[in-house]
Amino acid sequence: MTEQDKISRREFMARTARAGFSVAAVAGAAGLLYETDVLKTLASEKIITGLKDFSVPQIAGQTMSVITGTNRTQTVNKAIELLGGIDRFVKPGETVLLKPNIGFSSPPRICATSHPDIIGELTRLCYEYAKAKKVYITDNPINDAQSCFVNSQIAAAAEKYGAQLILPKKSLFTPMSLDGGKLIKNWPFLYEPLAKVDKVIGIAIVKDHARSGASMTMKNWYGMLGGGRNIFHTNINTIITELVMLIKPTLVILDATEIMVANGPTGGSTSDLKRTNMMIAGCDQVAADSFGAGLLNLKPADLPYLSKAHELKIGTTDYQSLKPIFAQVKG
């Protein structure tokens, strides 16, 4: 371990303590402190030109589910059950990467980040029912990564259910060039966590977004970019489209239990939120986001990246054509 790593660890301990968590419990069990096998450094001259396909075969009538309910643990559980169960998506012995939105150092009540209850339940399902070998969690936040993982309470959820957090260390990024891409060209990308897993599950929350109009499952992949990625804000629809061309997830979860209808994507006040009490799960991220757009009083045509992804046949904005399964859970 380098001296820099030691300093970072001390800083994390202090921040964790200020956040009111048990330092030893959170840091140790969640693996926040630098697992040795994620410290590998890829040669800087190596440029990745694509990712493997993490998706599973679609099953007619089991591509998308929408569950109404107030309890995120129950609704996400039911949403996956109605698509065939977690063992449809994850097989025994496989490794899984959960990609939540942890972009900001905010508590869950602000709804700027994915909710820890969903992270915990997905981790539990992967281990207990799918018999996964390992569950990892990663993101490249806008704010300080350690603070984001702790204050979002995702570090605590990982600790509780045994997932391994992967901090976005510089050594885990490698240059990426998307074949046919206009923006993703020799750009630093959080590649190493994706390279080591068999399946990828994206977990996002429905939010207003000042640049893209809405932040949902497709925009969530923005967190895999490194470097000065704000440069892409002037062409936000293109970069989102290129990201979904690049990343074909196993499953996406879109949390609409409480959505951010104003001042997104950071919000900052519960007055920015609206209760809609829905959880969406799907194999088609374009369809899931098209449904989510409606909750923000937007049409798919209002979000150009949705229309473009539909044209490219990445998914469909006509989510009703998939005959989504609607259900309700009480509690």
Side-chain angles (χ1 to χ4, degrees), residues 26-49:
V26 173
L32 193 56
L33 303 179
Y34 316 124
E35 182 193 33
T36 55
D37 69 350
V38 299
L39 295 178
K40 294 179 293 184
T41 302
L42 295 174
S44 60
E45 65 272 16
K46 183 179 180 182
I47 299 176
I48 305 299
T49 56

Side-chain angles (χ1 to χ4, degrees), residues 84-145:
I86 192 66
D87 51 351
R88 173 188 167 192
F89 302 99
V90 178
K91 301 302 180 187
E94 288 189 328
T95 50
V96 184
L97 179 68
L98 305 183
K99 167 57 181 80
N101 181 334
I102 324 177
F104 307 102
S105 183
S106 302
R109 63 183 175 79
I110 300 299
C111 292
T113 54
S114 299
H115 200 280
D117 288 353
I118 301 173
I119 306 303
E121 183 62 7
L122 278 169
T123 303
R124 187 185 73 83
L125 290 173
C126 286
Y127 280 135
E128 291 188 12
Y129 290 92
K131 306 301 180 186
K133 178 181 179 181
K134 190 75 177 180
V135 177
Y136 297 96
I137 300 170
T138 199
D139 195 14
N140 181 29
I142 294 171
N143 298 150
D144 172 77

Side-chain angles (χ1 to χ4, degrees), residues 106 122 159 190 206 242 249 316:
S106 302
L122 278 169
E159 174 213 353
L190 188 51
V206 177
E242 291 193 3
T316 179

Side-chain angles (χ1 to χ4, degrees), residues 109-299:
R109 63 183 175 79
I110 300 299
C111 292
T113 54
S114 299
H115 200 280
D117 288 353
I118 301 173
I119 306 303
E121 183 62 7
L122 278 169
T123 303
R124 187 185 73 83
L125 290 173
C126 286
Y127 280 135
E128 291 188 12
Y129 290 92
K131 306 301 180 186
K133 178 181 179 181
K134 190 75 177 180
V135 177
Y136 297 96
I137 300 170
T138 199
D139 195 14
N140 181 29
I142 294 171
N143 298 150
D144 172 77
Q146 292 175 338
S147 296
C148 290
F149 278 107
V150 171
N151 289 333
S152 66
Q153 298 181 21
I154 287 176
E159 174 213 353
K160 182 176 180 180
Y161 293 98
Q164 175 79 55
L165 296 182
I166 301 177
L167 286 174
K169 293 175 66 67
K170 184 178 179 180
S171 59
L172 304 182
F173 289 82
T174 195
M176 171 69 76
S177 287
L178 173 67
D179 187 21
K182 296 179 180 177
L183 300 180
I184 302 179
K185 287 186 175 181
N186 194 16
W187 193 267
F189 189 87
L190 188 51
Y191 172 72
E192 186 74 0
L194 288 166
K196 65 189 295 176
V197 298
D198 302 298
K199 298 293 172 57
V200 174
I201 301 176
I203 305 114
I205 188 168
V206 177
K207 298 192 293 183
D208 166 62
H209 195 283
R211 296 281 183 181
S212 62
S215 176
M216 297 180 282
T217 67
M218 296 165 67
K219 174 65 172 60
N220 185 32
W221 305 121
Y222 201 83
M224 300 304 290
L225 295 170
R229 62 191 183 192
N230 286 351
I231 193 174
F232 297 130
H233 279 175
T234 58
N235 208 345
I236 193 77
N237 292 294
T238 300
I239 192 66
I240 294 174
T241 302
E242 291 193 3
L243 284 167
V244 297
M245 291 169 65
L246 183 64
I247 304 173
K248 300 176 178 64
T250 311
L251 177 69
V252 293
I253 303 295
L254 183 59
D255 178 18
T257 309
E258 199 165 20
I259 66 175
M260 185 182 293
V261 296
N263 299 314
T266 56
S269 168
T270 54
S271 64
D272 297 324
L273 308 179
K274 176 185 176 183
R275 273 269 170 188
T276 50
N277 293 327
M278 290 185 183
M279 187 71 67
I280 301 99
C283 309
D284 184 328
Q285 55 186 322
V286 182
D289 284 8
S290 296
F291 181 90
L295 300 177
L296 291 170
N297 293 320
L298 297 170
K299 301 184 182 89

